[in-house]
Structures are given as C-alpha cells and as structure tokens.
Amino acid sequence: MSSKAFIDELAGEKLTPEQKNKKILVKLVKHLENKEIGNAIDVLKATREEFDINYQFNGNTLLHYVCNSKEPTIYLFLPIILSTAFKEAINLQSLDTMKRTPLMCAQDIQNEF
C-alpha cells in the first residue's frame, strides 16, 4: 500500500489515539525496514499533527527504534525525525524496556560499527 493510500485509509478510520499511534508507528517501521525512506518521510510528515512521536510500542518509541538500528539506512532516518516539527516534542529521556534513552541506544550501536 502506498503512503498516500495509507494516509487516506487512516483518515477514514475511527480509531482511538492509541490505535492510530500504533498503526502509524508500525507503518513507519515497515517502510524503514524495506528501505522505503521516501514513503516513511511522507507518512511522518502527513501524520505529524496526530502522531505522538513519543508513543511506545513494545517499549520503544520511533526514536528508540531508529537509534537502536544497526542498519545505516534506518539510522540515517534520525536527522529526518529531528528536522520535522517533532523536534520540540521529542522526549529524549524516554526509557525503553532496558531502561535506555534513545541516545543511549545510539551510543551502544555506535560502538559496534
């Protein structure tokens, strides 16, 4: 499904904020894993008004996911997140299930490159 189709579908559904955040986060992660960076950017920009950038699914925010990735294509999505309207709203102190902030995840991975 294209990003536009996803966004149109999302707009037509009656979802709770929790359901909407989960759906958006899962879609962003799928695009990143498939190296569809353009689609991920489109979804991120189109949903910035309704997506809670600090939403946690399975203990991770989008920022945790990106910072914890060993895949350079995914890790390089970090500047895109930070350059969007989310930059003021991002909680850099949010903890994942291992009690790490997104920056701690990035530091851990940097040591393995």
Side-chain angles (χ1 to χ4, degrees):
M1 174 186 302
S2 73
S3 296
K4 181 168 179 1
F6 170 75
I7 293 162
D8 290 344
E9 178 186 304
L10 192 64
E13 293 181 314
K14 293 184 190 241
L15 300 171
T16 65
E18 170 80 16
Q19 292 169 321
K20 192 172 275 194
N21 281 316
K22 180 180 177 183
K23 196 165 192 168
I24 293 168
L25 180 62
V26 168
K27 188 64 166 180
L28 286 166
V29 168
K30 279 186 180 179
H31 280 317
L32 291 172
E33 287 176 349
N34 292 329
K35 297 183 176 140
E36 299 167 349
I37 303 303
N39 288 335
I41 291 169
D42 291 345
V43 170
L44 191 64
K45 286 182 177 179
T47 60
R48 73 174 149 237
E49 296 296 321
E50 54 203 338
F51 179 54
D52 177 3
I53 195 69
N54 298 306
Y55 172 74
Q56 288 192 337
F57 179 65
N58 290 337
N60 292 302
T61 64
L62 178 62
L63 196 58
H64 279 98
Y65 172 76
V66 169
C67 289
N68 203 31
S69 178
K70 294 179 184 177
E71 174 60 46
T73 306
I74 294 172
Y75 190 75
L76 291 174
F77 194 68
L78 180 60
I80 295 165
I81 295 171
L82 297 176
S83 68
T84 65
F86 292 117
K87 65 183 171 192
E88 290 84 21
I90 294 173
N91 179 0
L92 295 176
Q93 301 305 314
S94 65
L95 301 176
D96 65 7
T97 55
M98 295 173 54
K99 306 292 185 218
R100 298 178 304 164
T101 67
L103 298 178
M104 292 166 100
C105 293
Q107 184 179 19
D108 289 349
I109 294 303
Q110 180 182 15
N111 293 335
E112 294 181 21
F113 275 119

